[in-house]
Amino acid sequence: MTKAKSNVMTDFVAPIAVLVIICVVMSALLALTNSATAPIIEEAERKANEAARLEVLPDADSFEKVEAAGLPDAVKEVYQASNGAGYTFSLTTTGYGGKNTLKMTIGIDAEGKLTGVKVLSHKETPGLGSKVTTEESFYGQFPGLDAAGAAAADTISGATFSSNYYKAAIADAFAAFEQVKG
């Protein structure tokens, strides 16, 4: 038996070229898929945020975005109800899951009372830290409270980190409210 001669082209260059072509084609397909789905995802997110604003400030008829400088870092967007019912605050803040892991929408009426809190997404510990979104005895205590009342609200035993992050986000919303009101 004779041993076949090794050819650099067939042994090394061809497999690398095939892999590069596969990577380029797959990257192009992923970019095409992303460009096709990005507007759909953006519209769905816009509708979810609008629904969350209406849920946390039910007396509002529509919303106008408020531009303000010097807001707390966690506050990403502020909307004022067109009929003067109050404000909503979109926050992305630190949770027990890490930085930017707790996304919330908070409503505060014109008198400075909390009208609602909705957690849009979180990465809190399932079954423990996630209780801030599932236990009405916790999240149900906030509507109707002012800043001082929200700060003094009870935490969830065993999930105090998540509870405190939740309360800190509410405090940031009240700080932003003080800046944008009236």
Side-chain angles (χ1 to χ4, degrees):
M1 290 179 121
T2 60
K3 193 173 187 183
K5 285 187 175 181
S6 177
N7 184 344
V8 171
M9 181 64 179
T10 58
D11 289 349
F12 297 106
V13 176
I16 292 172
V18 168
L19 287 175
V20 167
I21 291 170
I22 289 171
C23 289
V24 167
V25 168
M26 294 308 293
S27 296
L29 289 173
L30 283 172
L32 180 67
T33 302
N34 183 53
S35 67
T37 59
I40 297 166
I41 293 168
E42 188 175 300
E43 179 64 16
E45 189 173 301
R46 186 193 65 73
K47 286 181 180 179
N49 288 334
E50 180 71 20
R53 284 191 289 275
L54 285 169
E55 185 178 331
V56 299
L57 193 63
D59 293 340
D61 53 359
S62 63
F63 296 96
E64 298 170 7
K65 191 169 185 176
V66 175
E67 299 296 332
L71 296 173
D73 290 339
V75 178
K76 302 304 179 197
E77 293 181 320
V78 178
Y79 285 86
Q80 181 179 14
S82 299
N83 63 356
Y87 295 86
T88 65
F89 303 89
S90 298
L91 295 97
T92 302
T93 188
T94 299
Y96 189 68
K99 187 173 182 172
N100 297 332
T101 59
L102 187 57
K103 294 183 181 183
M104 307 168 70
T105 299
I106 298 172
I108 300 175
D109 67 16
E111 286 79 39
K113 304 282 185 189
L114 206 60
T115 57
V117 179
K118 176 155 178 78
V119 175
L120 301 173
S121 68
H122 68 87
K123 293 182 181 163
E124 301 304 293
T125 308
L128 190 58
S130 65
K131 288 181 180 181
V132 296
T133 63
T134 59
E135 285 198 10
E136 188 174 355
S137 61
F138 176 72
Y139 68 78
Q141 68 183 325
F142 291 98
L145 298 178
D146 59 7
D154 293 333
T155 59
I156 297 173
S157 178
T160 54
F161 284 112
S162 297
S163 301
N164 287 332
Y165 290 129
Y166 190 98
K167 289 170 56 175
I170 292 172
D172 285 342
F174 275 112
F177 173 75
E178 290 300 322
Q179 288 182 286
V180 299
K181 71 177 180 178

